[in-house]
Amino acid sequence: KIIRVQSPNGMKKISATKKETAAAFLNKVGKEFGFTSNGFSIYLNRNKTNEIQSQNKTLSLLKIKHGDMLFLYPSGSPGPSGETMDVAMPHSSSSVPQIQEDDIDQYLAKQEGKIYRNKDPQLHLDPPVKHMSFHAYIRKLTGGADKGKFVALENISCKIKSGCEGHPPWPEGICTKCQPSAITLNRQKYRHIDNIMFENHTIADRFLDFWRKTGSQRMGYLYGRYIEHKDIPLAIRAEVAAIYEPPQIATQNSLELVDDPKAAAVEEIAAKLGLRKVGWIFTDLLSEDTRIGTVKYTRNKDSYFLSAEECITAGHFQNLHSNPCRLSPDGHFGSKFITVVATGGPDNQVHFEGYQVSNQCMALVRDECLLPCRDAPELGYAKESSTEQYVPDVFYKDKDKFGNDITYLARPLPVEYLIIDITTTFPKDPQYTFSSTHRFPIENRDVLGETQDFHSLASYLSQCPSTVFLDIVSDFHLLLFLVTNEVMPLKESIGLLLDAVKMKDEELAQTWKNSEQWATIEQLCSKYLREPKTRTSPLTPGSTIKCHYHHRPVPWSTAPWVGAGPLQCPPPPCGPAYTAPS
Ligand SMILES: *[C@@H]1O[C@H](CO)[C@@H](O)[C@H](O)[C@H]1NC(C)=O
Ligand SMILES: *[C@@H]1O[C@H](CO)[C@@H](O)[C@H](O)[C@H]1NC(C)=O
Ligand SMILES: *[C@@H]1O[C@H](CO)[C@@H](O)[C@H](O)[C@H]1NC(C)=O
Ligand SMILES: *[C@@H]1O[C@H](CO)[C@@H](O)[C@H](O)[C@H]1NC(C)=O
């Protein structure tokens, strides 16, 4: 059996047998947490009551069961100060805030960086990698003449430095010390994420179903993990295990997010399942022939891959999920947050295209210097300075028809200077994090008549053969429903079940199944089955800002800055004179 031990520095799971003595168990816990035998005490209760003594009694005699939570306190610690236990941090050695880099970054920083390429002589050599991986790039920066030297990654800012005393503030004054430098846009040399992989087609397919059934576009957040991608040295793959579809209002050519009361709960559940938000996905699909299910090929090199507005949205999301990095002066650099577009490919089938925007784009978006063009989705526009805001000059370089490098002012700006493409793949053999083979309805699809309620739960449970409980409850959307439903939300009490799903532990799942909560849920299901189903009210817009630009052709439109306060979207005057350099 598994016993969970909560300490001020986090929880650990300790396996034990029924016949194990308390003394042997305490010994094991001590080793696991790195304490000497009398350096700590363990209690049945969080409030330091019912201490477990080191003695010759078995765990079953002490009534410690599979899945129980025990509480460990180091000796001489000030004891339980209420709720602070869960958030208590290990002491940091200095007053400088420690940058906690992501696990994958800590791992890759220790790797050699060899290529694990297939040595099969039949294989063609892969084409040279267009972008370096982020960690290879860092190695290159630190590994030169002054090897091991601390490099500080550039923190791009488009804002006037505050605190300049010598002159009145903008717009009355500005000086060389506080003025942000001009920006010349470069194609970024490295990629933060080198590959995107969906665990299997079902995940993507169920997401596309919404468009198939309604013709409306759809947006979702990708939940998964960042792992090593061995095809490229020191590369990172974003692996997608589930798609959460937040409340949204969509049409065939627009998409708007509304406030999501469940956003925090989703993050928390995902974290407990060992997953995190790795990116977002949206559809841009237009039927070509509904009988055979083909779609139009609209995004290509003659139109655009990502519109300026989508780049700005991606930049906004990347800023919200910036990447902890100890080499940066403010502890953050770039982002691992990815963007996936589901759109028609040259074969008129649905393709999944992955992107990120550059760090330069992130800075322009963060400091509100970039706008989409009114009538050309493939063009962005660097704002002009106003009395409210100083905007540095933004340039990009391209070759003219004689092959000479020419510097252009980014008004307008082809968005290809901001985009990094990422290959998006599916594994040959489907993988999965959630083992349920049945389909519990996806959240926020009431417009389709697919609701998450106790009716749908009852019919879901009736489809499932009741042999392996873990396989019934191992479904992301079902777990979200169990936690967030309004009739009987399972808040803290679901922790054990989430652990069971995360560790794929049927025994632990069975323990939870015997709980009062599950009994109540089963009762509710049978009660709701006897009552006629009532339709839930349709989605109503929340307190969001609409920010529609009138593109021609309108790709889609969204208000990603939900909750960020009023944002004005004056359509910038994009010069009619622009012609793409040939
Ligand atoms: C400690 O917690 C247990 C279980 O939560 C409770 O039964 C007991 O009354 C508490 N004791 C004190 C002294 O607070
Ligand atoms: C522990 O208990 C068992 C059986 O109850 C006994 O055989 C054994 O000698 C005891 N050990 C110690 C160290 O007391
Ligand atoms: C980096 O840039 C951001 C945005 O301009 C700013 O808030 C932050 O203080 C900067 N950090 C450093 C160390 O310059
Ligand atoms: C795909 O993955 C999802 C999520 O892990 C899982 O629910 C589903 O059963 C998987 N499908 C296949 C065919 O493996």
Side-chain angles (χ1 to χ4, degrees), residues 119-180:
K119 289 273 165 58
D120 185 348
Q122 302 292 348
L123 278 180
H124 306 282
L125 264 185
D126 292 333
V129 176
K130 197 164 87 182
H131 297 271
M132 257 183 276
S133 67
F134 176 60
H135 281 268
Y137 174 72
I138 293 198
R139 295 282 167 96
K140 201 177 153 198
L141 290 183
T142 52
D146 30 21
K147 201 173 166 84
K149 190 176 160 235
F150 182 84
V151 275
L153 296 169
E154 186 192 9
N155 182 21
I156 308 164
S157 176
C158 317
K159 279 196 169 139
I160 293 178
K161 273 202 201 89
S162 57
C164 215
E165 298 282 322
H167 55 77
W170 178 263
E172 275 76 42
I174 191 165
C175 71
T176 50
K177 263 194 273 166
C178 63
Q179 181 178 8

Side-chain angles (χ1 to χ4, degrees), residues 199-203 241-242 430-437 474-475:
E199 283 188 342
N200 62 60
H201 277 284
T202 321
I203 299 170
Q431 301 176 7
Y432 59 87
T433 296
F434 301 100
S435 57
S436 172
T437 49
S474 182
D475 179 289

Side-chain angles (χ1 to χ4, degrees), residues 44-50:
L44 287 181
N45 298 327
R46 187 185 288 266
N47 57 14
K48 275 192 161 183
T49 55
N50 287 3

